C-alpha cells in the first residue's frame, strides 16, 4: 500500500471498518436473540427482540454513514490531486546551443 494513491487506501480502510462494524452489530443482535429465547415472559421476549432489531438497524446505519464519509473524503482527495496536477505549469526542455 506504500505506492497506492491515498484515495484507494481511504476506501480500503473504510471497507474493512464497515465489515468490523457489521460483524459487531450482528454478534450483539445474536446475543439479544439468545436472551429473548431464554426469557420467561412474552413482554421480556418482545423487548429483547426489539433490541436485537434496533441494534442491527443502528449498526447498518453507522456503517453506511462511515462508507459515505469515506467515499466523500476519497473523492475530495482525488479531485484536489487532479486539480493540483492540472495547475502545474508545463516546463519545456531548454535547448542548449553550441557556441
Amino acid at each position: 500500500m506504500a505506492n497506492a494513491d491515498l484515495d484507494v487506501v481511504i476506501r480500503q480502510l473504510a471497507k474493512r471498518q464497515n465489515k468490523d462494524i457489521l460483524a459487531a452489530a450482528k454478534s450483539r443482535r445474536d446475543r439479544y436473540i439468545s436472551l429473548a429465547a431464554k426469557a420467561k415472559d412474552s413482554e421480556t421476549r418482545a423487548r429483547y427482540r426489539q433490541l436485537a432489531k434496533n441494534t442491527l438497524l443502528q449498526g447498518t446505519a453507522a456503517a453506511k454513514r462511515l462508507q459515505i464519509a469515506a467515499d466523500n473524503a476519497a473523492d475530495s482527495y482525488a479531485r484536489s490531486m487532479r486539480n493540483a496536477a492540472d495547475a502545474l505549469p508545463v516546463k519545456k526542455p531548454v535547448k542548449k546551443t553550441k557556441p
Side-chain angles (χ1 to χ4, degrees):
M1 275 200 305
N3 293 334
D5 287 335
L6 189 57
D7 60 330
V8 174
V9 174
I10 291 170
R11 290 178 202 277
Q12 287 174 348
L13 289 174
K15 190 174 184 180
R16 189 177 316 139
Q17 287 177 341
N18 253 356
K19 288 180 182 179
D20 291 343
I21 288 173
L22 289 176
K26 286 178 182 178
S27 74
R28 184 59 58 103
R29 179 202 58 189
D30 293 342
R31 183 177 183 278
Y32 285 135
I33 292 294
S34 69
L35 287 173
K38 294 176 188 176
K40 301 286 184 197
D41 57 352
S42 62
E43 182 181 319
T44 306
R45 186 175 302 118
R47 186 167 34 100
Y48 279 129
R49 284 184 180 166
Q50 189 63 39
L51 278 171
K53 182 180 176 182
N54 288 343
T55 299
L56 193 59
L57 286 174
Q58 294 295 327
T60 54
K64 189 173 187 176
R65 286 192 305 269
L66 174 72
Q67 186 65 42
I68 290 170
D71 285 341
N72 288 342
D75 290 342
S76 176
Y77 174 78
R79 185 174 45 254
S80 66
M81 288 297 110
R82 269 194 315 273
N83 290 343
D86 291 343
L88 290 176
V90 177
K91 293 184 180 180
K92 295 182 180 179
V94 177
K95 294 184 180 179
K96 293 185 179 179
T97 57
K98 291 186 180 180

